[in-house]
Each structure stands twice: as structure tokens, then as C-alpha cells.
Amino acid sequence: MLAASCVSQSSDDPLSGLQVADRPEPEVPDGWARVHVRAASLNHHDLWSLRGVGLAADRLPMVLGCDAAGVTDDGREVVVHALVGDPDWTGDETLDPKRSILSELHQGTLAEQVVVPARNLVPKPAELSFEQAACLPTAWLTAYRMLFTQSGLQPGDRVLVQGAGGGVATAAIALARAAGLVVYATSRDEAKRARAVELGAHEAFETGARLPARVDAVIETVGKATWGHSMKSLRPGGTLVVSGATSGPDPSADLNRLFFLQLRVVGSTMGTRTELEQLMRLCVATGLRPLVDEVLPLAEAARGFERLRAGDVFGKLVLTP
Ligand SMILES: NC(=O)c1ccc[n+]([C@@H]2O[C@H](COP(=O)([O-])OP(=O)(O)OC[C@H]3O[C@@H](n4cnc5c(N)ncnc54)[C@H](OP(=O)(O)O)[C@@H]3O)[C@@H](O)[C@H]2O)c1
């Protein structure tokens, strides 16, 4: 089967380790299921894997990809929940110390087939196309949990979304607007700021610009480049929810502001299967659909990765085998 795999890792030249080639079809262990992938989406996570972050070198070659929607051997249309945990774990699976995301320990979704634990299959609503559904399990689920589980935001509150063009950020803008929040977004790029407003942001600003009012929460995935602005933009008692650090993980903590204004900094990672089901119900109920920037054939995966690395994306990149 055709697959896009990580065969070597380089922090400077991540694409040098990407191989799009035939691989053996996966075996299906007891309790697992095969999904014939109809659509898979790219995430920044796949670039981190090629850079050597989060994927151990002794696991190579590894099929990349966290997200997929497809059809099981017995004909069910499904979305794949990307978090694989200990089968004996109970409760919030994002807190399972043994959890991993597809393509870290188990072969990923950028392939004609992927094999996952049967409990990771979630029925795909008929209202969503395979391409739309394939955007949900990582970026959209992460944004959903940040906004609705971790932030404490209530309808009518103000939220700032940093780095408007990103996969998580576009999801957060659209979901926040659908939930009745006042949405500010930032981007380095003027065209992306205009698109953020089309997507649902009430106003979009240059990265680092002063906002018209302080916000109740910030959705932060950019990291070092925007952290200081995120801290300064919060009202006293506000919440900074962070799930990524694309521009670097070690900003100034701004401790004086943190304690004096009684800010809360909350980490967030992926989401639960239940949150994925809630997210899909929200999409069906509101008509909200993931923003797909481009659909490419799996054979042209390298072009998608190049766009992701260049930051030249607005929404999600989808690959179809
Ligand atoms: N913890 C989790 O469960 C989880 C899940 C999903 C993603 N993540 C992490 O979250 C981050 C974003 O993921 P993604 O898939 O949404 O990535 P992405 O689509 O590549 O988006 C990254 C965005 O960050 C902004 N950005 C990048 N470098 C910047 C800089 N130097 N200064 C200002 N802005 C910058 C860009 O926005 P503009 O061009 O608009 O400025 C870009 O669109 C990644 O680090 C990823 O690993 C974590």
C-alpha cells in the first residue's frame, strides 16, 4: 500500500526524511480494526516527527499522520480517534501516562490503510464528508478541548486566538464564534487576518498589536513568539490555554504579571473520544465545517509538507489515497 513515512530525522531539513512509497499492508491484532483511509489530514505534529521531536529514532520507519476518516473492513464509515492508550485505563484518556498519538508508537494514517484499537473508531456523521471528518481528530479536537473544557469561557466572553492561519487556530476561531464568544485573532500576514475575519473573528490584528479590550482567555499554540502578548492581553484572573509552541517552548514566564493579576496557565493536549463525539455533534447541529485549505493526492504528500513547513496554509491540508 502507498504510505508517507518518516525514514530519517533532521531538525534543519525535516523533509529529507519523508518517503512516499509502497509499504507492507498492516496486520490486524485481536481487538483492533483496519480502516481503508478515504482522507487523512496533516498536522504540525507530522513535521515535529520528521524533525526528531516526539518520535523515537528506533521506531523508524514510521507511517506519519494522526488523523483519518475511512471505511472499515465491514463497511462502516468511521473517524479515527488518534489517542491510543492503555486498554485498562479508565477516565479521561488524555491523562493516561501510557497514551500516545498515532504515528508515535503505532503506524499512522497517511496511508491507504491504518490499523487501530476498535474502541478508537467513532461513527462518521453522514453530514460530514471524509475530507471534513479527517480534519477533526487532532487540530479541531484540540481546539474544542481548549475552548470548552480548559478555558472557563462562557458565551459572550472575549477570547484571543494567536497565529490565525494554523490548523488549531482556524478551528478555534470557527468554534469560538459558533459558541457565542467575542473572537480576536492575530496573524503575521495581512491576507490571513482578512480570512480570519471571514472565518468568524470579530477583529484580527497584527501579531503583538494592542487589543481594544483585555480578554477572558487566550488560545495559544504559537509559543515563544506570542507568549508575552498573550500574558499582557489577559484581564485579571484570565486564563491562558496552551497546547503548542511552534515558534519555541521557552518564553519569559512573566511571573510578576502571573501572580499579581492572578492569571491561570492551563496546558491542554488533544481530547477524549467523548469530546470528539461532542465536536462532531456540534458540527452537525450548527452546520460548522472544518476549513480545508487544499486536498492533495497522497502521492503528492511532499508538496503538502512543504506548504506546512513554510507556514503557507490557512486551515487544513488533506491527503486522499
Ligand atoms: N498538544 C496537542 O494536543 C496539540 C494538538 C495539535 C497541535 N499542537 C501543536 O500546536 C501547534 C500548532 O499546530 P498546527 O497544526 O495548528 O500548526 P500550523 O497549522 O502549522 O500553525 C502554526 C501557526 O503558528 C503561527 N506561527 C508560526 N510561527 C510563528 C512565529 N514565529 N510568530 C508568530 N506566529 C507564528 C502561524 O500563524 P500565522 O502565519 O497566521 O501568523 C501558523 O499558521 C504545533 O506546535 C503543534 O505541535 C498540539
Side-chain angles (χ1 to χ4, degrees), residues 44 48 142 163-168 187-188 192 222 225 243-244 246 268-270:
H44 214 94
W48 291 124
T142 301
V168 178
S187 175
R188 299 163 295 176
K192 287 188 190 177
V222 179
S243 74
T246 301
S268 197
T269 283
M270 299 293 286

Side-chain angles (χ1 to χ4, degrees), residues 147 153 157-161 176 181-184 215-219:
L147 281 168
L153 286 163
D157 283 351
R158 285 191 201 94
V159 64
L160 167 64
V161 180
L181 296 159
V182 177
V183 186
Y184 298 149
V215 297
D216 300 283
V218 180
I219 299 299

Side-chain angles (χ1 to χ4, degrees), residues 6 36 39 58 117 128 136 138 176 199 221 291 299 305:
C6 175
H36 300 269
D58 62 6
L128 299 177
L136 299 178
T138 296
L199 186 62
T221 58
L291 183 69
F305 274 88

Side-chain angles (χ1 to χ4, degrees), residues 56-76:
D58 62 6
R59 308 293 303 182
L60 306 187
M62 176 65 79
V63 177
L64 293 165
C66 311
D67 294 347
V71 181
T72 57
D73 280 344
D74 57 3
R76 286 173 295 142

